[in-house]
């Protein structure tokens, strides 16, 4: 399955899209975006998420994430940061006493101003400058720079990068899912998720349910915290088939069920 997923991903990844994602990931400080994309595809498959639905998750995730951000600034923060650094640096240079941390701070401010001006700054550059400080006696003079740099979360371009990155990743993931399904059909193969789907189909057959009722008295589900939604759907549908018209279990028919799990060990919680 892994090889087919990679093949599907290669088939739908054009150079323009990849260059765009790489640029967005660089600005956002996401080094392993390709691994995150593969993980997204794996999770979509495991949770039975259709490609067209997966493609909508980018906008939804961006909206949810940006809901925790401050309102976007109407001010041109790039220009404001450059102006502030240009104003503050001469004073720092005049008052500096030769201490290493002040020299490093001024070098960082110059470097940040340069990358902001030429459009190659990353958001990590803003964060680093907002947290950097010169020697104790010059902190007051440096405060305006720290203040403007610290407003990065309100930068409209950061919001735009987040929206575009999530949209691109989920759209590409959706295309890969579609190509993967098509490739499986061409080869006449199925994967584990397909087997789960087929099992769900079997559980809908009265003859299969009858056999399970006759042969199963006890059902033990270990590591229940790692049950994915598709597996739980099948288990729940089967157990609910024993209910009467009012939703109560019919005495003596449904097997005894024990589920053992620990939420603290949930792989889905970690994800």
């Amino acid at each position: 399955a892994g090889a087919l997923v990679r093949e599907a991903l290669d088939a739908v990844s054009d150079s323009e899209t990849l260059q765009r994602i790489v640029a967005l990931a660089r600005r956002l400080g996401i080094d392993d975006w390709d691994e995150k994309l593969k993980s997204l595809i794996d999770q979509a498959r495991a949770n039975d998420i259709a490609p067209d639905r997966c493609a909508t998750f980018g906008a939804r995730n961006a909206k949810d994430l940006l809901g925790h951000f401050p309102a976007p600034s109407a001010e041109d923060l790039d220009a404001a940061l450059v102006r502030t650094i240009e104003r503050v640096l001469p004073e720092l240079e005049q008052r500096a006493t030769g201490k290493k941390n002040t020299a490093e701070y001024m070098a960082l401010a110059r470097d940040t101003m340069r990358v902001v001006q030429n459009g190659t700054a990353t958001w990590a550059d803003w964060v680093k400058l907002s947290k950097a400080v010169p020697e104790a006696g010059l902190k007051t003079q440096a405060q305006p720079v720290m203040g403007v740099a610290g407003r990065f979360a309100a930068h409209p371009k950061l919001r735009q990068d987040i929206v575009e990155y999530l949209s691109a990743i989920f759209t590409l993931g959706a295309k890969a899912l579609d190509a993967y399904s098509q490739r499986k059909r061409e080869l006449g193969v199925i994967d584990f998720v397909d087997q789960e789907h087929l099992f769900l189909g079997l559980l809908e057959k009265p003859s299969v349910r009858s056999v399970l009722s006759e042969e199963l008295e006890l059902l033990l589900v270990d590591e229940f915290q790692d049950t994915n939604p598709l597996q739980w759907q099948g288990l729940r549908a089967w157990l609910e088939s024993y209910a009467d018209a009012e939703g109560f279990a019919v005495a003596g028919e449904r097997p005894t069920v024990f589920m053992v799990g620990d939420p603290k060990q949930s792989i889905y919680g970690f994800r």
Side-chain angles (χ1 to χ4, degrees):
L4 280 184
V5 169
R6 288 190 292 272
E7 181 181 325
L9 191 53
D10 290 340
V12 298
S13 301
D14 60 272
S15 59
E16 182 179 348
T17 298
L18 291 180
Q19 289 175 7
R20 179 171 165 238
I21 292 177
V22 168
L24 289 165
R26 187 193 71 84
R27 289 200 296 272
L28 292 168
I30 303 172
D31 297 326
D32 57 346
W33 68 268
D34 51 340
E35 291 301 321
K36 286 180 167 46
L37 176 58
K38 291 175 184 176
S39 177
L40 183 157
I41 294 171
D42 289 341
Q43 291 182 51
R45 290 170 50 229
N47 289 279
D48 193 30
I49 298 173
D52 56 347
R53 184 166 173 241
C54 179
T56 68
F57 284 3
R60 289 174 55 185
N61 275 269
K63 182 179 180 181
D64 290 344
L65 176 60
L66 293 175
H68 300 282
F69 280 51
S73 174
E75 184 180 3
D76 184 342
L77 293 179
D78 285 353
L81 183 60
V82 170
R83 285 196 309 269
T84 305
I85 293 175
E86 288 178 334
R87 186 181 76 248
V88 169
L89 267 181
E91 186 175 1
L92 292 179
E93 291 169 347
Q94 183 178 4
R95 294 179 175 231
T97 61
K99 290 186 177 180
K100 181 180 179 181
N101 59 338
T102 298
E104 291 177 343
Y105 178 83
M106 291 190 295
L108 175 62
R110 292 190 194 96
D111 289 343
T112 304
M113 180 171 63
R114 175 179 51 80
V115 294
V116 168
Q117 287 176 316
N118 63 29
T120 60
T122 68
W123 298 111
D125 293 326
W126 285 72
V127 174
K128 187 175 181 179
L129 185 59
S130 72
K131 295 180 178 180
V133 291
E135 60 193 80
L138 297 177
K139 285 184 179 179
T140 300
Q141 285 72 26
Q143 187 60 48
V145 174
M146 297 164 60
V148 177
R151 294 170 61 192
F152 65 89
H155 203 307
K157 291 181 181 178
L158 173 58
R159 302 174 71 93
Q160 181 180 340
D161 281 351
I162 290 172
V163 170
E164 290 185 4
Y165 172 78
L166 289 174
S167 177
I169 285 291
F170 277 94
T171 298
L172 185 57
K175 290 180 179 179
L177 282 172
D178 195 36
Y180 173 67
S181 297
Q182 181 177 340
R183 186 60 176 150
K184 283 189 300 180
R185 289 192 294 270
E186 293 172 353
L187 296 174
V189 297
I190 61 174
D191 61 13
F192 185 71
V193 177
D194 295 323
Q195 294 178 54
E196 291 176 325
H197 270 292
L198 292 172
F199 178 66
L200 284 177
L202 288 173
L203 287 179
E204 295 175 358
K205 296 181 180 296
S207 59
V208 173
R209 289 182 175 178
S210 176
V211 171
L212 291 175
S213 298
E214 294 174 0
E215 298 188 359
L216 286 180
E217 296 182 359
L218 172 66
L219 177 64
L220 175 63
V221 182
D222 196 13
E223 304 291 350
F224 181 71
Q225 76 277 356
D226 294 334
T227 302
N228 68 37
L230 187 60
Q231 294 165 349
W232 171 237
Q233 177 186 341
L235 177 61
R236 182 175 179 177
W238 173 50
L239 295 177
E240 288 180 345
S241 69
Y242 290 94
D244 58 21
E246 297 182 355
F248 296 99
V250 179
E253 291 190 8
R254 191 175 71 179
T256 301
V257 180
F258 285 97
M259 298 178 182
V260 181
D262 180 0
K264 294 181 180 179
Q265 299 183 38
S266 173
I267 59 174
Y268 292 96
F270 294 152
R271 290 176 181 172

